[in-house]
Amino acid sequence: MPGEKSGAAQKLFKAVVDGDEELSREATRELLGEGWDPRSIITEVLVPAMRKVGELYERGEYFIPELVMSAEAFRAAMDLLRPHFKGSGAPVKAVAVFGTVRGDIHELGKNLAVAVFEAEGFQVVDLGVDVPPERFADAVVEHNARIVGMSALMTTTMLEQRSVIEELKRRGLRDKVIVIAGGAPVTEEWVKEIGADVWGRDAFEAVRIVKKMLGVE
């Protein structure tokens, strides 16, 4: 909770929790106009807001539609803040590449994961949807990524998650990255079968596991 620091900070916190994109943009502009450091906006407002969303979800008070709306409000704020980071030397925990696997054009789950990992201080490269295994591997090399997140919404397309891991192995990259397999049909058993590292019931659990594996807060 942003506390009593600023009315605009409280407005942004509420906008993200409520999933209000327009209010999120408005409050972010106000905070920048007040001279807030963009990194402070993230650490003192956006991260607590997304953690609040996670708590509401875990308590059964929020469901997927609310999570997606909050993620979009978070992304609206980040779109305004990101240009201020260029050359700022802002600390990054690690680079993560996320994408929806080949043959699958669903992006809601992937977008939520992107928002949660960004909120927790990771630099996220969003590869989009319908991403072939080769593109995941190329992105790992290009961005020196430590994390690969693969999303799939259908039982037919989740088979592509295995293909991504095989491509990482073929390129000698598998042991250099933490691989997350996510999506509605994905189970813990499937993650073990294909040799991925992380399965979480949701993006919030996944990021906690990844941070623990990396030994970062």
Side-chain angles (χ1 to χ4, degrees):
M1 185 72 182
E4 310 306 324
K5 291 178 180 175
S6 162
Q10 294 189 31
K11 184 191 293 186
L12 178 57
F13 182 92
K14 185 175 187 305
V16 172
V17 173
D18 292 347
D20 188 331
E21 282 187 60
E22 193 52 45
L23 187 62
S24 176
R25 293 188 187 92
E26 179 182 314
T28 302
R29 291 190 184 99
E30 288 181 22
L31 288 172
L32 289 171
E34 291 176 4
W36 275 59
D37 183 308
R39 284 167 290 187
S40 296
I41 296 175
I42 292 174
T43 58
E44 296 180 30
V45 185
L46 292 177
V47 170
M50 286 302 288
R51 287 177 175 166
K52 178 67 175 179
V53 171
E55 292 170 7
L56 292 169
Y57 178 70
E58 290 173 352
R59 293 207 300 263
E61 297 178 35
Y62 268 19
F63 299 93
I64 295 298
E66 287 83 8
L67 293 184
V68 171
M69 290 174 65
S70 290
E72 291 304 314
F74 171 86
R75 285 166 60 88
M78 286 299 296
D79 286 345
L80 293 175
L81 296 175
R82 202 171 286 112
H84 295 273
F85 296 144
K86 292 180 179 177
S88 69
V92 172
K93 289 187 172 71
V95 177
V97 296
F98 277 89
T100 303
V101 297
R102 181 169 56 192
D104 198 323
I105 59 171
H106 299 90
E107 61 179 353
L108 293 181
K110 183 263 298 173
N111 287 348
L112 176 61
V114 167
V116 170
F117 273 74
E118 279 197 329
E120 293 293 339
F122 290 86
Q123 179 184 336
V124 177
V125 179
D126 186 349
L127 301 178
V129 300
D130 191 21
V131 181
E134 296 81 5
R135 181 70 188 104
F136 279 99
D138 288 345
V140 168
V141 174
E142 180 181 354
H143 301 284
N144 193 28
R146 293 286 312 282
I147 300 141
V148 174
M150 312 175 292
S151 178
L153 189 68
M154 300 180 288
T155 54
T156 50
T157 56
M158 77 178 195
L159 301 177
E160 282 292 317
Q161 293 179 331
R162 188 198 301 274
S163 301
V164 174
I165 291 177
E166 291 303 318
E167 179 64 16
L168 292 172
K169 289 179 179 176
R170 191 183 71 79
R171 302 269 291 266
L173 300 170
R174 175 64 189 91
D175 294 337
K176 300 178 181 177
V177 294
I178 296 170
V179 178
I180 307 167
V186 176
T187 64
E188 189 170 12
E189 290 71 25
W190 171 251
V191 168
K192 290 178 180 175
E193 180 181 330
I194 63 176
D197 299 305
V198 177
W199 174 79
R201 281 184 289 273
D202 50 66
F204 300 100
E205 184 176 12
V207 77
R208 283 197 295 271
I209 296 171
V210 169
K211 287 168 66 178
K212 186 175 181 180
M213 293 176 73
L214 291 172
V216 298
E217 291 296 325

